């Protein structure tokens, strides 16, 4: 990422300042993408923390005050809160401003925000497909979007120049940008993100409901696959409640297909049909390799987790190799 000579926007307003808002602020500042950043958040505690962090130019109390004079406004709140935010900021937006968001569902955001935005304001919804299981203003970091996708879902009548300018903004934050219709986004993310989260939340909950003796062993031996589900299932409950309510139709569609495939594998296992199991696992292994090849994950063993080093002391004689 090369910092810009000339900022793309004069004044960026961030409404909501958690993992995503905080990462945008840090990256936009590091890249010189905006001349100044003004931020707000719902709670006084978060606003106080944002001011302490010193990564924005001004922290204000209300959404309305935040957007005054801003030429880029990004709502970084749960998708269920986007409509109320749009209603609040609508009358205070500057003519020509670009209004965007970062919500993980796009159809509902378009439906809830668009009616409150006045003519002369350019609405270009966005979804940076990047994140961690952490939340809050301290969780953000400038590199979060590097080499990750940011999907823009402009409505068909969106201003082309505004779309291009937002694309350029996200590119300077390190993201690869692609445009698609909101409904298509919700279907794709339904299978690649929302359903996996639903499965992780379910399996971790199921393990938790086992008897206490077994549960301690579940935690102890979690490296056998379960640990990776626990990371996903530690994601923010508010955000994910809103995602499943807002993208209900697409997730239910994907869940139906998933249940059919699960039933087929169950049948193969029950009937001792090893070939079906092998063929399926061989196909999914190739998908994993494809993800690594296009640079969307690390090929390092154990998903790139740092490997512990061997004990410094050599093993006692009987365990050492005897062909030295
Ligand atoms: P976060 O760290 O929990 O921060 C959320 C922010 O929204 C906080 O400032 C919070 O204010 C505010 N907020 C929460 N509920 C609100 C409400 N009802 N009205 C107004 N403000 C509210 O969340 P995040 O991870 O940054 O997620 C923000 C958005 O990014 C969500 O729409 C999510 O779908 C999307 N997204 C998340 C990820 C991810 O992996 N986390 C990835 C891509 C996109 P307080 O701190 O004052 O409570």
């Amino acid at each position: 990422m090369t910092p810009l000579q000339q900022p793309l926007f004069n004044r960026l307003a961030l409404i909501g300042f958690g993992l995503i808002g905080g990462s945008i602020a840090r990256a936009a500042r590091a890249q010189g993408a905006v001349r100044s950043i003004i931020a707000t958040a719902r709670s006084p505690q978060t606003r106080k923390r944002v001011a302490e962090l010193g990564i924005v130019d001004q922290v204000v109390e209300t959404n309305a005050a935040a957007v005054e004079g801003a030429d880029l406004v990004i709502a970084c709140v749960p998708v269920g809160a986007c409509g109320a935010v749009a209603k609040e900021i609508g009358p205070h937006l500057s003519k020509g401003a670009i209004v965007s968001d970062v919500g993980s569902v796009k159809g509902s955001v378009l439906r809830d925000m668009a009616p409150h935005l006045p003519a002369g304001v350019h609405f270009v919804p966005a979804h940076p497909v990047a994140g961690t299981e952490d939340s809050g203003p301290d969780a953000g970091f400038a590199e979060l979007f590097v080499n990750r996708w940011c999907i823009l879902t402009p409505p068909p009548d969106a201003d082309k120049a505004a779309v291009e300018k937002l694309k350029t903004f996200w590119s300077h934050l390190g993201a690869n940008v692609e445009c698609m219709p909101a409904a298509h986004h919700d279907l794709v993310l339904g299978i690649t993100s929302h359903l996996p989260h639903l499965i992780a939340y379910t399996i971790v909950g199921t393990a938790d409901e086992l008897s206490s003796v077994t549960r301690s062993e579940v935690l102890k031996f979690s490296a056998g696959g379960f640990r990776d589900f626990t990371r996903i299932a530690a994601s923010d409950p508010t955000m994910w409640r809103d995602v499943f309510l807002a993208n209900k139709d697409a997730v239910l569609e994907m869940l139906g297909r998933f249940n059919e495939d699960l039933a087929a594998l169950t049948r193969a296992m029950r009937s001792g049909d090893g070939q079906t199991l092998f063929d399926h696992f061989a196909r999914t292994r190739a998908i994993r390799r494809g993800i690594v090849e296009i640079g969307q994950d690390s090929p390092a063993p154990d998903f790139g987790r740092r490997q512990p080093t061997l004990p410094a002391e050599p093993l006692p004689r009987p365990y050492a190799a005897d062909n030295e």
Side-chain angles (χ1 to χ4, degrees):
M1 291 195 293
T2 327
L4 287 156
Q5 303 287 327
Q6 191 64 9
L8 288 164
F9 292 94
N10 202 32
R11 196 172 167 89
L12 163 65
L14 292 170
I15 299 179
F17 205 97
L19 171 70
I20 302 296
S23 297
I24 293 174
R26 288 166 171 96
R29 177 170 265 208
Q31 291 301 93
V34 296
R35 194 161 274 120
S36 65
I37 305 176
I38 185 159
T40 190
R42 179 181 52 169
S43 67
Q45 295 91 314
T46 300
R47 294 198 295 270
K48 180 169 173 283
R49 183 62 191 144
V50 177
E52 283 166 4
L53 285 169
I55 47 180
V56 302
D57 298 278
Q58 205 185 339
V59 181
V60 294
E61 284 191 17
T62 66
N63 296 340
V67 304
E68 295 281 358
D71 49 353
L72 176 60
V73 175
I74 308 182
C76 304
V77 298
V79 288
C82 285
V85 164
K87 191 171 179 192
E88 221 179 313
I89 63 174
H92 305 274
L93 291 163
S94 301
K95 201 167 169 50
I98 296 177
V99 176
S100 190
D101 76 306
V102 292
S104 307
V105 182
K106 301 276 44 109
S108 69
V109 165
L110 201 57
R111 181 197 66 209
D112 296 348
M113 289 187 80
H116 301 295
L117 302 176
V121 160
H122 308 300
F123 183 36
V124 187
H127 175 205
V129 188
T132 73
E133 66 276 27
D134 298 324
S135 312
D138 287 276
F141 54 100
E143 300 78 17
L144 178 65
F145 310 111
V146 175
N147 202 25
R148 297 286 165 241
W149 285 100
C150 182
I151 302 173
L152 306 190
T153 61
D157 60 347
D159 180 81
K160 286 196 173 43
V163 176
E164 281 310 312
K165 201 166 175 194
L166 194 64
K167 266 188 180 177
T168 309
F169 174 79
W170 278 105
S171 306
H172 280 286
L173 268 46
N176 306 314
V177 189
E178 189 156 313
C179 288
M180 63 176 72
H184 188 68
H185 165 279
D186 290 354
L187 209 56
V188 173
L189 271 290
I191 187 69
T192 58
S193 169
H194 306 168
L195 185 59
H197 275 81
L198 191 67
I199 293 167
Y201 280 123
T202 310
I203 197 166
V204 175
T206 305
D208 186 55
E209 279 154 23
L210 297 175
S211 75
S212 58
V213 174
T214 322
R215 192 192 304 161
S216 69
E217 289 184 329
V218 168
L219 298 179
K220 186 169 156 191
F221 300 118
S222 66
F226 183 73
R227 187 180 61 182
D228 293 306
F229 283 113
T230 62
R231 190 190 64 75
I232 298 175
S235 302
D236 186 65
T238 306
M239 167 185 159
W240 283 97
R241 175 203 61 197
D242 283 10
V243 166
F244 291 119
L245 294 178
N247 202 22
K248 184 174 70 177
D249 292 344
V251 178
L252 287 177
E253 165 66 21
M254 296 305 162
L255 195 56
R257 289 165 185 252
F258 174 82
N259 283 332
E260 284 171 21
D261 293 345
L262 185 62
L265 287 183
T266 310
R267 199 164 44 247
M269 203 170 64
R270 198 190 302 281
S271 62
D273 178 359
Q275 191 62 48
T276 294
L277 294 175
F278 183 88
D279 290 349
H280 187 91
F281 302 157
R283 190 158 57 90
T284 56
R285 184 180 225 192
I287 291 171
R288 166 73 198 163
R289 287 186 176 146
I291 290 171
V292 171
E293 269 167 32
I294 60 169
Q296 291 296 303
D297 205 350
S298 160
D302 205 13
F303 301 99
R305 280 202 176 87
R306 214 152 51 87
Q307 298 299 303
T309 48
L310 286 165
E313 291 294 310
L315 291 168
R317 193 67 206 152
Y319 300 104
D322 50 11
N323 58 346
E324 23 179 26

